[in-house]
Amino acid sequence: MSDAEKTVPESADAAAPESAPERQAPRTLTVRVHRCGPGGANARFDDFRLPVRPEDSVLDVLDRIRVETDPTLVYRHSCHHSSCGTCAMRINGRERLACITRMLALGTDVVTLEPLRALPLLGDLMVDMRPMFAHIGDDWGYVRPVEKASTGVPHGVARYTRLENCIECGACMSACPVSSGTDDMPPPEARRGGHEAPAQAAPGADVADAPQERMFMGPAPLAALNRELARHPEQREALLHIGKGPQGEKHCRRHLACSRACPSGVYPAKDIMDIRMMHGGGKD
Amino acid sequence: MERIAIIGGGGTAAALAHDLILRGFSVAIYERGEFFSGATGRHHGLLHSGARYAVHDPEAARECIEENMILRRLVPQAMEQNEGLFVALDDEDMAYRQRLKDACAATGIPTRDYTPEQARHLEPGLADGVLAAMQVPDATFDAWRLALPFLATARAGGATAHNFTEVIGIDVQGGAVRGLRLRSLAEDAHGARGREWSAPADMVVNAAGAWAGKVAALAGVHVPIQPGPGVLVAIEGRVTNMVINRMRKASEGDIIVPQRRLSVLGTSMWLTDDPDHLDIPPEHVQRMVRLCSEMVPACAGAVIRSAWSAARPLIGNADATRPQEISRTFDCYDHGTRDNVSGLLSIIGGKGMTLRAMAEKTADIICRLTGRDAPCRTRETPLLPARAFYRS
């Protein structure tokens, strides 16, 4: 291991005897990776067999396959610690971030990797995020003040701030049966408030078949919209007009899959219900 | 309009594309993976005040504080501007304190002293044994969302950016670059991968970060790049509001960067020739947690969310006895004067947060070489929001 050999212990701490953890033996697994061209053309699975260590994330393993076996493997990644939101995919049929999912913790001898649903396929594990961002304002904020600090604040800081917890990864879009067109719940007898029933794609149908203007914008944009409402109450009417519009909250059928899938502790289903309960937007 | 091809799709490339578009060039970026998938996305997300470098690397410290102030203005939506603390835990730290204060003063980094009581009022999670603390203008940033506005703005201005596109050759004829040989890695609609094509260019900029040596070799030239990977650890839970630094010379496990509901602990450092195979040694993970828990004990019991490696694109220095002594400043090499390959530049070194400054220096050289009289405008030109990237 050339990297390890070149490690230079530099501080007294680094040179001090460390109870170095034994590196556990790897296990050989099969990684079944979805491959395709643009639009899902020529979709198939390729199997890669390789040794996996307990500490390896799915992303670590993908990087190893790309560097050592197949440089043409297409997947998105950037921060490797669940902040950027680029590496969401379906891992053994569930939406997860590849960077924080330990391969061996999945407990299967074959690990299947597929792209997110609900978004157009660009290739292999990569989807086109533009349809999601089409419903999130460019200028909507991404930082918010901390509600109340329990401590003092340093000189020059009026209130501590936080980046939004939503990392806009698309996991909720894929998990939502409505936005992914996999909803097998029977159509509702009547819609609340006499709203027109949303266009429901048949299970398994290509979501692209549904008329664009009546399709659900998905959980992530509505969650972002609710946060923007909190930031800018003065824009309530305009924001609710979007949230309660033809592609808005009325499509939600309370599956709650979005909240379960979120890797970041956001609960989009709650945001959607908040919007549903609000008056305004020219609908109530 | 001169065509500038940029090799690499990291933060430096994005900022350079933005700068060059503002100065009237035609720009194309080529990146073999996803944008920002190298070191740009993978660092701890510290918007350095520069204090970490003030004592031993004052040039890098000055670059940091200057860019710190500029980026706070340009990309406020990518940051938690919650400031940072240096904390002293032992006599050695206390001995370093005055040197650090003097060096910060000399490099223009504002500081403010706190007593241990004041420091623990700000950050109750600090170790009981804190002897002194000093505030510096650190901040936390989201690496992806700091770089993306540069790329979004460049593309809106006409730059093209090609991800999953590998540069396989640099076309040099008669001592001058003529363009690039490229290969598409993604599958096309006909089920084919690896389609190759050529793109003409008047100038080529090697902005491949830790991979700059491999790229330079395509043109038969050498750059003194020294990839310097390190391990970072993200733990569950936010242990502090502010960034916490150990008050001693740059070493390992001396920084805690809280962000959202995480805390990022860093960093180790070693040297390698191969930035593609980055190991994540478990003993480094353990060491980062242990060293950081000396500053904030809660780090020790936290669940590890992720551990990863990133390769710093260091400028090689055979005289440095420890990797941490290698300067974190940057430099731009004109291979026309160095190697008789005109039209080829390499930008190496630097840090994630000095992307704009690296771009400015490189674009200044491109203007000089092309005889274009256009000043840098990136300090004051507003950037599009990160999400605008998905409009183009």
Side-chain angles (χ1 to χ4, degrees), chain B residues 220-297:
Chain B
V221 301
H222 174 77
V223 290
I225 188 78
Q226 173 58 70
V231 166
L232 300 103
V233 181
I235 57 172
E236 302 268 0
R238 185 175 182 120
V239 297
T240 56
N241 279 302
M242 303 167 74
V243 174
I244 307 296
N245 305 269
R246 184 77 183 257
M247 199 182 285
R248 64 182 177 199
K249 69 179 180 181
S251 59
E252 294 189 321
D254 55 7
I255 187 155
I256 301 170
V257 185
Q259 175 245 91
R260 297 185 176 91
R261 296 168 179 161
L262 304 175
S263 302
V264 176
L265 318 179
T267 316
S268 66
M269 193 192 271
W270 67 92
L271 303 177
T272 180
D273 297 325
D274 180 6
D276 277 320
H277 293 84
L278 298 182
D279 195 18
I280 308 166
E283 63 272 22
H284 286 224
V285 176
Q286 194 178 68
R287 196 158 73 232
M288 293 312 106
V289 172
R290 182 175 59 74
L291 289 170
C292 287
S293 69
E294 291 177 8
M295 298 187 286
V296 177

Side-chain angles (χ1 to χ4, degrees), chain A residues 55-71:
Chain A
E55 65 269 24
D56 284 336
S57 68
V58 170
L59 182 52
D60 292 332
V61 172
L62 280 171
D63 280 350
R64 211 174 300 145
I65 293 172
R66 175 176 55 83
V67 168
E68 293 173 3
T69 310
D70 186 348

Side-chain angles (χ1 to χ4, degrees), chain B residues 197-236:
Chain B
W197 77 101
S198 295
D202 300 304
M203 290 193 74
V204 169
V205 181
N206 170 13
W211 290 266
K214 296 186 175 193
V215 167
L218 294 174
V221 301
H222 174 77
V223 290
I225 188 78
Q226 173 58 70
V231 166
L232 300 103
V233 181
I235 57 172
E236 302 268 0

Side-chain angles (χ1 to χ4, degrees), chain B residues 78-317:
Chain B
M79 286 180 204
E80 297 179 357
Q81 300 193 16
N82 294 335
E83 300 287 288
L85 283 180
F86 272 73
V87 296
L89 299 177
D90 58 26
D91 292 346
E92 205 176 324
D93 294 356
M94 288 301 279
Y96 184 71
R97 185 173 171 224
Q98 194 58 47
R99 286 177 69 198
L100 179 61
K101 277 169 63 90
D102 292 347
C104 285
T107 47
I109 300 164
T111 62
R112 174 174 288 256
D113 289 329
Y114 292 114
T115 64
E117 293 71 31
Q118 289 170 324
R120 267 198 303 278
H121 176 60
L122 285 174
E123 293 293 358
L126 288 175
D128 287 341
V130 167
L131 300 173
M134 185 178 92
Q135 181 184 340
V136 295
D138 286 339
T140 295
F141 69 93
D142 179 316
W144 170 258
R145 291 171 180 83
L146 182 100
L148 203 55
F150 287 92
L151 191 54
T153 311
R155 287 220 303 197
T160 60
H162 310 263
N163 51 358
F164 302 103
T165 302
E166 186 174 22
V167 175
I168 54 172
I170 298 174
D171 182 16
V172 180
Q173 292 172 33
V177 295
R178 304 289 183 198
L180 298 177
R181 189 75 188 151
L182 301 157
R183 176 162 61 204
S184 171
L185 298 178
E187 190 165 306
D188 67 19
H190 309 289
R193 289 177 197 250
R195 181 178 67 90
E196 295 183 11
W197 77 101
S198 295
D202 300 304
M203 290 193 74
V204 169
V205 181
N206 170 13
W211 290 266
K214 296 186 175 193
V215 167
L218 294 174
V221 301
H222 174 77
V223 290
I225 188 78
Q226 173 58 70
V231 166
L232 300 103
V233 181
I235 57 172
E236 302 268 0
R238 185 175 182 120
V239 297
T240 56
N241 279 302
M242 303 167 74
V243 174
I244 307 296
N245 305 269
R246 184 77 183 257
M247 199 182 285
R248 64 182 177 199
K249 69 179 180 181
S251 59
E252 294 189 321
D254 55 7
I255 187 155
I256 301 170
V257 185
Q259 175 245 91
R260 297 185 176 91
R261 296 168 179 161
L262 304 175
S263 302
V264 176
L265 318 179
T267 316
S268 66
M269 193 192 271
W270 67 92
L271 303 177
T272 180
D273 297 325
D274 180 6
D276 277 320
H277 293 84
L278 298 182
D279 195 18
I280 308 166
E283 63 272 22
H284 286 224
V285 176
Q286 194 178 68
R287 196 158 73 232
M288 293 312 106
V289 172
R290 182 175 59 74
L291 289 170
C292 287
S293 69
E294 291 177 8
M295 298 187 286
V296 177
C299 295
V303 173
I304 292 177
R305 189 165 170 90
S306 178
W308 71 103
S309 288
R312 304 166 181 87
L314 304 172
I315 300 174
N317 175 1

